[in-house]
Amino acid sequence: MRAARLIKMVLLLQSRPAMTAAELARELEVSERTVTRDAQALSEAGVPVYAERGRAGGYRLIGGYRTRLTGLARGEAEALFLSGVPGALREMGLEDAASAARLKVSAALLPSLRDASRTAAQRFHLDAPNWFREPETPGLLPAVADAVWDDRPLTARYRRGEEEVVRELEPYGLVLKAGVWYLCARVPDGGSFRVYRIDRFTAVEPGGERFERDREFDLPAFWAERAEQFARSILRAEVVVRLSERGLRALPHAVEALSARAALAAAGAPDADGWVTVTLPVESEEVALTQLRTLGPEVEVLAPGELRERFARDARRLAALYGDEP
């Protein structure tokens, strides 16, 4: 414990010209008296730490006591600090490791590049979850992440509908999509790759020996392919609608992007009223009812007849509510 703290103290002093005892105590989460003892221990061990008194004083390292990454340009250094996603690292239980790694890199950079982490953080921030949704971190995520990093197989209990099943898995990668964590894993002995929602795991048990990864596996490409397959698989019904010019512009914000692209790509020319008729792939008539309601009077449902009648009933109810001015 103390050895790790002493190393962190050296790295902190390498990354800054000087630090007061109070600043070091705050960073190391110890008392100022402990900082004084640690500085003395480092000095006795041959690390050139010295203290200066006065308003501009503090602990310093004698110049030159550092390892520098001289090959990094500013843009490269800033990109390096953007490569991590703080929220995701925290949820996977890797925040401390990432913090230590950033500190080591900061300490090794040239003085002119040491503000790279601050300049990057002030310009870019990733907020992964959807709007109006409180993100929930699956309790088993850190254990699954450990297995992914170590290439260790998992025995997992998984909720599938109303039942629980047990699966032997080789965990290849994690994906955070709109605030939801997914595991991309392969069935052992050369089986297929599959995707599992981690919040549906009820228990995981890592295996002892590491599995041999398929070196050809490409996580981003695999996820992109599966995501498109999933989006297409749920669009099992079709509705025919007429859209005003405003409705056409609003359609991509009302329905799934894949559905809107398919409908607009096959759309014909506007009719005499300037409205366009399109065939829209949808998950179900119930989902279409909810989505198309947001377009209000900018959409007219033509088919199927039952869905058109439901819109007509809603329109009559609205007319009854708003027909008479108070």
Side-chain angles (χ1 to χ4, degrees):
M1 180 71 177
R2 190 189 185 199
R5 189 175 71 242
L6 292 175
I7 293 172
K8 186 174 182 179
M9 184 174 179
V10 173
L11 292 172
L12 285 167
L13 293 174
Q14 282 188 196
S15 65
R16 307 177 194 181
M19 294 184 70
T20 66
E23 290 171 338
L24 283 168
R26 185 167 56 253
E27 291 280 354
L28 299 172
E29 299 180 348
V30 296
S31 66
E32 294 186 29
R33 180 173 296 181
T34 298
V35 168
T36 301
R37 289 198 296 265
D38 285 352
Q40 183 177 355
L42 287 171
S43 180
E44 291 173 354
V47 178
V49 179
Y50 70 99
E52 287 186 346
R53 298 184 180 277
R55 294 180 59 186
Y59 288 94
R60 304 173 185 271
L61 289 173
I62 294 177
Y65 189 85
R66 57 178 52 87
T67 300
R68 294 177 175 175
L69 297 178
T70 56
L72 283 179
R74 168 166 291 277
E76 295 170 330
E78 290 174 342
L80 176 64
F81 285 102
L82 281 175
S83 62
V85 183
L89 291 170
R90 181 173 58 253
E91 292 177 7
M92 288 189 291
L94 299 174
E95 185 176 29
D96 290 342
S99 176
R102 287 193 294 268
L103 181 59
K104 290 178 181 179
V105 173
S106 294
L109 289 173
L110 289 167
S112 60
L113 299 179
R114 292 214 185 108
D115 65 341
S117 62
R118 182 183 59 80
T119 57
Q122 292 302 319
R123 286 164 173 79
F124 300 97
H125 175 68
L126 176 62
D127 185 10
N130 281 333
W131 285 103
F132 313 117
R133 174 177 177 173
E134 190 67 26
E136 295 183 4
T137 303
L140 295 175
L141 177 60
V144 175
D146 285 344
V148 170
W149 281 111
D150 290 342
D151 294 338
R152 295 192 183 278
L154 283 176
T155 301
R157 296 188 66 86
Y158 187 80
R159 290 195 308 274
R160 189 176 65 183
E162 298 298 323
E163 62 177 349
E164 278 193 2
V165 297
V166 178
R167 291 285 183 265
E168 300 293 330
L169 302 174
E170 294 176 348
Y172 267 66
L174 293 168
V175 175
L176 176 60
K177 170 71 172 179
V180 179
W181 283 95
Y182 296 88
L183 172 68
C184 301
R186 184 174 66 174
V187 178
D189 301 324
S192 60
F193 286 93
R194 301 176 184 177
V195 177
Y196 300 87
R197 278 186 61 146
I198 294 180
D199 58 7
R200 293 180 182 167
F201 286 136
T202 59
V204 294
E205 183 65 34
E209 295 185 2
R210 291 181 171 87
F211 64 87
E212 186 69 27
R213 289 179 67 93
D214 179 354
R215 300 300 176 185
E216 301 299 318
F217 179 75
D218 184 333
L219 179 60
F222 170 79
W223 177 259
E225 179 183 353
R226 287 303 174 90
E228 184 168 348
Q229 287 177 2
F230 173 75
R232 293 185 184 279
S233 70
I234 65 173
L235 301 177
R236 294 185 289 267
E238 288 184 343
V239 298
V240 181
V241 299
R242 288 176 71 233
L243 293 160
S244 68
E245 183 179 348
R246 181 179 295 179
L248 282 172
R249 293 197 301 268
L251 185 65
H253 305 288
V255 302
E256 287 83 0
L258 183 65
S259 176
R261 286 198 303 269
L264 296 177
D271 59 21
D273 297 323
W275 287 50
V276 174
T277 299
V278 301
T279 299
L280 188 67
V282 294
E283 183 175 347
S284 66
E285 290 185 20
E286 193 67 35
V287 171
L289 178 68
T290 301
Q291 293 175 334
L292 295 176
R293 274 174 177 163
T294 64
L295 298 179
E298 309 303 326
V299 61
E300 177 190 3
V301 175
L302 302 179
E306 183 178 344
L307 183 61
R308 179 180 174 85
E309 178 55 32
R310 293 180 70 178
F311 270 89
R313 288 198 299 268
D314 286 351
R316 289 191 290 269
R317 291 176 60 196
L318 285 171
L321 288 172
Y322 295 102
D324 296 326
E325 291 293 336

